[in-house]
Amino acid sequence: MKIAVVYNRESQAVINLFGTQNREKYGLETIKRIKDGLKKGGHEVKTFEGDKNLIQNLEDFMPSVISGERPGLVFNLSYGIQGRGRYMHVPGMLEMLGIPYVGSGPETHALALDKVVTKIILLQQGLPTPKFAVLDKPDSPLQEDLKYPLIVKPKDEAVSFGLRIVNNDEELREGIQVIYDTYNAPTLVEEYISGREVNVGLLGNGPTEALPPVELVFGKGPQIFTYEDKKNESGRTVEKVCPAPLTEEETARVKELAVKTFEALNCYDSARVDFRIDEEGNPYILEVNSMASLGKDGSFVFAAEKVGYDYPALMNKIIDVTCERYFGADFFDKESHQQNTAANKLFQRLTTNRGKLEADLKSWTNLSSRTEDAVGLSSLRKKLAERLTKLSMQPVESFTNGRSAWTWESKAGMKDGTLLVIPIDVPGARTGFPLPFRKEQEWIYGEGVASSRGGITITLAALQALKEEKQLSKAKVGIFFYADEGRGMRYSAGMLEKAAAEAKEVIVMQPGFVEGKIVDQRRGSKQFHLIVEGDPERIGKRAEPVDVLSWFLEKTGKLNELNSRQKKIAVAVQDLRSERYSVLTPHRVSATIAMTYIDEKVAEKTEEQLRSLFKASKPGMKTYIELLTERPPLLRKKDHPTLQSLERWAKEYQLPFGKESSLLATAAGVIPAEKPVICGFAPASKKLFTPNEALHRSELVQRSVLLALQLQGE
């Protein structure tokens, strides 16, 4: 599980600083101990400051989960940056974002931080607490009948800030003045309970476990736990004794009161209730710590050790009770989540390694390999070969030309198995540096991230999962990767056709559509190179003939007449270039004209019309039309066993799945008609083949899971 440990320490990243500044901070040592403890429990852990950048950081670290995947969780240690409601800031943000988190909700923290409201709730519930009054200012009259000695403290501060014992009116006013000057807040005045101080830690939800009571033995000095004591600045050592030397009846009583207080304030997961026990053994509730300290010297950790929780075990127990609260009692039950089927093991392995998946995608995306970049393509091909070798895959020389097409297979071979087809070049005439890899909540951006890198990443992830589950050696899998997608597979198509003939089914790693839609039908395409040549003419010459550029533009205006939605045929000019001498009109025009189609016969007829349209018709003019690339269409099949198998796996594991047709031609059209073929199996894209190309983030893990399930063939 992904766990983000969120705390407040150094950062003051807010829009404006104002109001009450936070004085509570976790030490770096404690934060590290918590992180290490969670990692020991098998979790993927990162730490973040709880500031205005938290939302972006969490979006990057824990994107939306897929059905059946364990979601990310925040281990909340945040006391906030500023303001009287600072405890509530991070929990409120997390509730808005829909991210589960450890600990109580913002409403509980608001109640617990306000000691007066807490005491009112306790009294309403019939729970014992010392008599008290609230004085707004140093000169406010004390109207309640309270007996000295008294305790004064700010009404909404924690960790004993401003806490002191006063024995008369002069000390009372002095204590209130200090609190008023320091915190600009009302003062809570309550009767001092002479006796023993006991803390009770609480863990879990319904039922809540009360840990053994811890007694604080103060020795010399004030018999209260001051801020200086907690910071080890008082010059004395406060001893902790656990279990507290209480009678069985007293122990049971404080535990019962602690649980009732926990429930009265609607606390979650963990907390600590502080008591004073008077000379007659009567307990009084002082306050509730809705964020009990997890420092190694804290009472909560000390008591947990006495019942068998070492530090890592305690941290992971807190995670367990939090997950049980959010997701039910069987969330970590091995019978429910880790059944011994091969498919379930693959699912768990892939969904718990999303961070590695995205890191791998980043490494591929940041390696440039544009179609015309021979050096970049060579580097990427070598890296891919290294990865396949580590997966115990073997090259297949008979389906490799060493220039534009390479084929690998598993130990079981690819014959009668699944052939995966992956482009490794990034098409398009691009200039300048590639755009850097970056992530948002739903989309991942980068050059070629969808058109090439997504397919590479999910293929390697699925194969790695199969290997780790000891299933790859028996899986019949072939990998065909090619480097001329940007040239319409002019050189690799023949090799792919031969390799596909060996396989039982073919899956093409081109981007699909959102909502998990693969492509079961694609248009074919033809690309023509047109050259028009004529004599150069002076501008303004009245005599015929018309210059070649004007003639070409006149003809292109008639291209729309060849388009037909009904016949699913489209023709358009993609590139245009003219050549001229000095101030003369162009004497040469070259253009690229593209055609997409479904029906071969319609395409043949349209090609005849195209050639006829651009046939030279003026004296001194010549035209040349050459077919550059031709990619057959992928036609929808009625009986499609691969599609049926994928639909079954998607339904069983609640993965989004559907089918769609596409206007773009791909390698799928090269596959022999009798072979079942699926295209668009890579994650969905937007702005494909542009500098702003993006890949759908959730589908990265969804497609990896679905591919692994299909390849293991259980």
Side-chain angles (χ1 to χ4, degrees), residues 518-683:
I518 54 89
V519 178
D520 66 342
Q521 178 168 285
R522 284 190 182 274
R523 289 194 182 190
S525 71
K526 293 186 178 186
Q527 195 175 57
F528 303 92
H529 183 56
L530 169 66
I531 298 176
V532 183
E533 293 181 335
D535 296 326
E537 301 290 343
R538 295 192 304 274
I539 297 174
K541 184 179 179 181
R542 298 181 180 179
E544 293 289 348
V546 177
D547 66 270
V548 294
L549 180 57
S550 299
W551 181 88
F552 175 80
L553 294 175
E554 177 188 349
K555 296 297 183 181
T556 55
K558 298 180 180 180
L559 279 181
N560 284 337
E561 298 175 7
L562 303 181
N563 295 332
S564 172
R565 282 183 172 270
Q566 184 178 6
K567 295 179 180 180
K568 296 181 179 178
I569 186 82
V571 183
V573 177
Q574 286 185 306
D575 294 308
L576 175 63
R577 182 181 178 184
S578 65
E579 299 175 32
R580 64 180 176 83
Y581 300 125
S582 187
V583 297
L584 302 181
T585 59
H587 61 274
R588 179 185 175 93
V589 172
S590 58
T592 302
I593 300 177
M595 175 195 303
T596 64
Y597 63 93
I598 284 290
D599 191 304
E600 294 274 7
K601 293 182 178 180
V602 173
E604 290 174 2
K605 183 177 180 180
T606 304
E607 182 179 345
E608 291 176 3
Q609 294 173 319
L610 180 67
R611 290 181 180 275
S612 176
L613 177 64
F614 285 100
K615 186 176 181 179
S617 58
K618 298 291 183 180
M621 186 178 296
K622 297 178 181 179
T623 60
Y624 310 89
I625 297 181
E626 177 188 4
L627 178 62
L628 292 179
T629 61
E630 181 174 9
R631 310 187 78 170
L634 169 64
L635 301 178
R636 186 167 284 145
K637 296 179 177 64
K638 292 183 179 180
D639 184 23
H640 202 313
T642 304
L643 182 60
Q644 293 167 2
S645 176
L646 290 169
E647 285 177 331
R648 176 174 65 85
W649 284 120
K651 183 177 181 181
E652 182 173 345
Y653 283 87
Q654 301 179 53
L655 300 170
F657 192 76
K659 52 189 178 181
E660 185 64 89
S661 62
S662 173
L663 300 177
L664 296 177
T666 68
V670 176
I671 311 304
E674 67 274 9
K675 295 289 180 180
V677 57
I678 291 292
C679 195
F681 197 86

Side-chain angles (χ1 to χ4, degrees), residues 185-256:
T187 298
L188 171 63
V189 181
E190 65 181 7
E191 289 188 343
Y192 170 71
I193 305 299
S194 178
R196 306 159 70 182
E197 184 151 333
V198 171
N199 299 335
V200 178
L202 298 135
L203 184 61
N205 311 282
T208 300
E209 175 188 2
L211 299 175
V214 177
E215 181 174 2
L216 305 183
V217 181
F218 300 107
K220 295 182 179 180
Q223 297 300 292
I224 57 174
F225 201 24
T226 65
Y227 175 70
E228 289 72 22
D229 290 326
K230 293 180 179 181
K231 298 293 288 184
N232 296 317
E233 297 173 354
S234 64
R236 66 176 179 176
T237 299
V238 177
E239 182 184 359
K240 296 181 177 66
V241 180
C242 184
L246 305 174
T247 66
E248 289 187 10
E249 292 78 9
E250 289 173 333
T251 298
R253 178 61 174 156
V254 294
K255 281 188 172 183
E256 178 188 14

Side-chain angles (χ1 to χ4, degrees), residues 19 33 86 103 181 193 207 211 215 235 331 381 387-388 433 458 474 490 570 575 692 699:
R33 291 184 76 210
R86 56 193 177 276
D181 292 343
I193 305 299
L211 299 175
E215 181 174 2
F331 184 73
R381 178 184 59 79
R387 291 286 294 273
L388 294 175
F433 294 101
I458 67 170
K474 62 182 180 181
R490 189 185 310 177
D575 294 308
N692 294 317
E699 290 194 11

